[in-house]
Amino acid sequence: QKEVEQDPGPLSVPEGAIVSLNCTYSNSAFQYFMWYRQYSRKGPELLMYTYSSGNKEDGRFTAQVDKSSKYISLFIRDSQPSDSATYLCAMSEGYSSASKIIFGSGTRLSIRP
Amino acid sequence: EAGVVQSPRYKIIEKKQPVAFWCNPISGHNTLYWYRQNLGQGPELLIRYENEEAVDDSQLPKDRFSAERLKGVDSTLKIQPAELGDSAVYLCASSLDPRQTSYNEQFFGPGTRLTVL
């Protein structure tokens, strides 16, 4: 069993819809939870990170972490065609460079105009 | 400010041939990472450098992979000889000295897509 599980999709929704992306994990030592966006033929870019449990909002994006359920989510409001990409969840035990980041396999998202 | 630069962007070789990838991190970033991303998977760490020192190479297949970071700036990752299973995207990332920031964000390059025939 992988440490981080993520539904690969693909997920296709109409423009303006609310998108929900999710990951589960097994390592209770994870404290930092990240969401990366990866466009085709590009490297991943960090969207946002959350420390421990709770919610964090940044514009149209909201990240949620439920450590009791080992479940994290990313919500995208008012989705745009430019949001079409692969979204990778990622986690680590600490914030320093010594803390290895474990990535999910990514969910491919397509926003239909 | 320029991001992480990698070259070549694409490489096609026959199995048993050698191949090398080059990475230039963001200026001032002390930590450099090499990741491998297989198709449909997330990146997996191969090696991490703090300045010139390889501080975590536990996931690097040392029988055929080697890496170096001369002068603590640019880095090269080499595979010799390449095998069919090495086909993947090789990503380089860099981050600031973690003592200077509360969260150690990694910035990724565009990657080198390797195809081994």
Side-chain angles (χ1 to χ4, degrees):
Chain A
Q1 184 185 4
K2 292 183 178 180
E3 279 190 285
V4 179
E5 297 279 0
Q6 185 174 10
D7 187 333
L11 181 63
S12 180
V13 301
E15 182 175 355
I18 296 175
V19 176
S20 173
L21 305 169
N22 312 293
C23 287
T24 59
Y25 63 96
S26 57
N27 184 354
S28 58
F30 286 143
Q31 294 276 30
Y32 285 82
F33 304 90
M34 292 77 79
W35 287 95
Y36 286 80
R37 178 175 61 196
Q38 187 172 23
Y39 290 116
S40 180
R41 310 291 185 184
K42 302 289 186 181
E45 59 176 333
L46 182 67
L47 276 176
M48 54 199 309
Y49 75 91
T50 307
Y51 169 69
S52 194
S53 285
N55 295 357
K56 187 174 185 178
E57 186 174 321
D58 184 0
R60 297 184 295 111
F61 298 87
T62 300
Q64 289 186 351
V65 174
D66 181 349
K67 291 189 69 179
S68 63
S69 302
K70 297 189 176 66
Y71 188 88
I72 71 169
S73 301
L74 177 70
F75 298 95
I76 307 175
R77 294 185 301 278
D78 187 25
S79 56
Q80 304 295 311
S82 59
D83 295 328
S84 298
T86 295
Y87 289 79
L88 298 156
C89 64
M91 307 171 191
S92 66
E93 296 183 13
Y95 65 84
S96 75
S97 60
S99 291
K100 188 177 296 185
I101 296 177
I102 306 300
F103 288 85
S105 57
T107 298
R108 185 179 298 179
L109 174 66
S110 176
I111 308 298
R112 306 188 302 270
Chain B
E1 179 181 315
V4 176
V5 179
Q6 291 188 248
S7 69
R9 293 294 315 277
Y10 305 91
K11 190 73 175 179
I12 301 174
I13 61 172
E14 294 189 347
K15 62 181 180 180
K16 300 185 181 180
Q17 294 300 305
V19 65
F21 315 123
W22 175 80
C23 172
N24 180 244
I26 293 173
S27 177
H29 281 194
N30 296 335
T31 307
L32 184 146
Y33 314 77
W34 283 103
Y35 287 86
R36 177 167 58 190
Q37 186 173 23
N38 292 314
L39 186 64
Q41 301 296 316
E44 294 181 324
L45 181 69
L46 291 173
I47 188 169
R48 173 172 62 91
Y49 281 93
E50 298 286 356
N51 298 303
E52 305 89 354
E53 184 181 1
V55 294
D56 183 358
D57 63 355
S58 57
Q59 301 302 311
L60 190 73
K62 298 181 183 62
D63 57 335
R64 298 183 300 107
F65 286 64
S66 64
E68 60 181 10
R69 190 183 184 197
L70 299 177
K71 300 181 180 179
V73 181
D74 296 0
S75 178
T76 302
L77 178 68
K78 298 178 181 177
I79 309 175
Q80 182 172 11
E83 297 179 351
L84 295 176
D86 296 331
S87 295
V89 176
Y90 290 84
L91 293 162
C92 180
S94 68
S95 64
L96 281 168
D97 185 333
R99 292 168 294 182
Q100 297 177 352
T101 183
S102 62
Y103 178 73
N104 185 55
E105 180 176 355
Q106 294 185 24
F107 295 84
F108 285 83
T112 296
R113 183 176 297 271
L114 174 67
T115 302
V116 182
L117 303 176

